[in-house]
């Protein structure tokens, strides 16, 4: 069984350095070169590839993708759809928040333009974002320039045909950064209160254990003395019983010796009478 303990100890020590093995290449890209060693041509992709545009004012949306994209009597809502009751749509449905639980201050106040339709891009390169934005800008008449969501200090070039003198535009949607995962720092008031309660309970238990131990010292001493006296008395009684047994065993031998002595005395008397 010792080798099992050694094995478990070795696994526990090497555990933090053991990584999950995967089949993903680490030193080359899959399907980047053909069988002749030439770079593979970019493929053609079709779909909702153009990212959604978020603006500080709906008038900054491209023509046909602002309020003018909605039917008569409806307006563009914060979720990028047209409705006559935009007030019923919760703020969390705003795609300009990029699904952040706590969007940054620069993202607050942004509203989305209408979603761009599906497009087909030849020689699509997912790593070249400028290719994507240039194609979408030309396709949907997005004049000026706009940085990506999160590049709050990026250059802003507003279109010349807008009545808005200042504003902000950002490419968002599919180009949103990954939302951070929030966790506890264990410094929140809830955790501080919980730790305080648990710590107080542990302290009370420790004080009780010490108090109980000190109070039971005389009782333990008394019980120890009683047990010692009982043991001594029991040993004395056992010794007395043993001596009685030994005495009882010796009695038959004494009787036999006395009988032999009496027999010898009788024999001596008879011999004396015969001599006379």
């Amino acid at each position: 069984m010792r080798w099992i303990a050694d094995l478990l100890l070795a696994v526990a020590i090497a555990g933090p350095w053991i990584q999950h093995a995967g089949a993903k290449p680490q030193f080359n890209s899959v399907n980047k070169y053909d069988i002749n060693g030439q770079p593979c041509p970019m493929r053609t992709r079709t779909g909702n590839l153009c990212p959604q545009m978020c603006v500080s004012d709906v008038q900054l949306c491209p023509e046909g993708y602002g309020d003018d994209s909605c039917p008569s009597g409806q307006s563009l809502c914060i979720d990028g759809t047209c409705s006559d009751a935009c007030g019923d749509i919760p703020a969390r449905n705003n795609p300009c928040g990029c699904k952040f639980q706590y969007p940054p201050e620069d993202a607050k106040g942004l509203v989305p333009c209408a979603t761009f339709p599906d497009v087909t891009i030849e020689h699509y390169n997912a790593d070249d974002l400028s290719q994507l934005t240039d194609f979408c800008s030309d396709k949907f008449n997005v004049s000026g320039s706009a940085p990506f969501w999160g590049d709050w200090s990026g250059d802003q070039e507003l279109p010349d045909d807008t009545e808005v003198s200042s504003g902000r535009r950002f490419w968002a949607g599919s180009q949103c950064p990954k939302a951070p995962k929030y966790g506890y720092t264990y410094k929140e008031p809830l955790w501080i209160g919980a730790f305080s309660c648990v710590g107080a309970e542990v302290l009370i238990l420790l004080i009780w254990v010490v108090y109980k131990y000190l109070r039971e010292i005389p009782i333990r001493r008394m019980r120890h003395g009683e047990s010692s006296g009982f043991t001594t008395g029991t040993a004395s009684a056992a010794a007395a019983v043993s001596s009685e047994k030994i005495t009882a065993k010796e009695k038959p031998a004494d009787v036999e010796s006395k009988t032999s002595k009496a027999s010898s005395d009788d024999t001596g008397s008879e011999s004396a009478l015969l001599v006379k």
Side-chain angles (χ1 to χ4, degrees):
M1 297 301 291
R2 177 64 182 274
W3 67 272
I4 297 178
D6 295 340
L7 179 61
L8 294 176
L9 180 61
V11 172
I13 295 175
W17 289 274
I18 297 176
Q19 297 182 356
H20 177 72
K24 184 178 179 180
Q26 298 294 325
F27 305 104
N28 64 298
S29 300
V30 179
N31 297 332
K32 187 175 182 180
Y33 301 97
D34 59 16
I35 58 176
N36 298 320
Q38 300 298 322
C40 296
M42 297 294 178
R43 58 180 180 173
T44 300
R45 287 198 60 181
T46 300
N48 187 15
L49 302 177
C50 291
Q52 197 157 18
M53 177 163 283
C54 293
V55 295
S56 59
D57 194 313
V58 180
Q59 297 183 20
L60 295 175
C61 290
E63 184 179 356
Y65 294 95
D67 281 334
D68 54 352
S69 64
C70 297
S72 178
Q74 295 184 351
S75 59
L76 189 63
C77 302
I78 60 173
D79 62 346
T81 61
C82 296
S83 175
D84 54 358
C86 292
D88 298 335
I89 300 176
R92 64 175 178 271
N93 291 352
N94 188 348
C96 295
C98 285
K99 299 181 179 180
F100 275 51
Q101 185 177 358
Y102 303 102
E105 291 294 330
D106 294 295
K108 295 180 179 179
L110 296 178
V111 292
C113 300
T115 304
F116 297 118
D118 293 349
V119 295
T120 299
I121 302 178
E122 296 180 356
H123 307 293
Y124 176 75
N125 184 4
D127 297 329
D128 188 1
L129 298 180
S130 60
Q131 176 204 31
L132 179 63
T133 55
D134 292 343
F135 177 87
C136 295
S137 297
D138 295 339
K139 181 73 174 178
F140 302 108
N141 299 320
V142 180
S143 58
S145 63
F148 286 99
W149 193 97
D151 186 11
W152 311 119
S153 60
D155 295 333
Q156 293 279 352
E157 184 181 346
L158 300 180
D160 298 331
D161 55 351
T162 180
E163 298 179 358
V164 181
S165 59
S166 63
R168 299 178 302 154
R169 301 187 305 173
F170 299 95
W171 293 103
S174 59
Q175 299 303 321
C176 278
K178 188 176 181 181
K181 294 182 179 180
Y182 295 95
Y184 290 112
T185 61
Y186 300 103
K187 296 180 181 179
E188 293 81 5
L190 174 64
W191 286 108
I192 293 176
F195 292 149
S196 300
C197 292
V198 174
E201 292 177 358
V202 172
L203 180 61
I204 292 173
L205 289 175
L206 291 176
I207 293 175
W208 165 249
V209 170
V210 174
Y211 172 78
K212 183 174 180 293
Y213 176 80
L214 296 176
R215 293 289 294 175
E216 289 180 350
I217 289 177
I219 299 175
R220 284 195 297 271
R221 289 177 178 175
M222 182 178 65
R223 289 180 177 177
H224 181 70
E226 291 178 355
S227 61
S228 299
F230 176 77
T231 304
T232 305
T234 304
S236 301
V241 172
S242 299
S243 61
E244 290 179 359
K245 290 182 177 180
I246 293 173
T247 304
K249 289 181 179 180
E250 290 178 350
K251 285 182 178 179
D254 295 341
V255 172
E256 184 178 356
S257 61
K258 291 178 179 179
T259 305
S260 300
K261 186 177 180 180
S263 300
S264 59
D265 292 342
D266 293 342
T267 304
S269 299
E270 291 177 358
S271 302
L273 290 175
L274 291 174
V275 171
K276 288 178 180 181

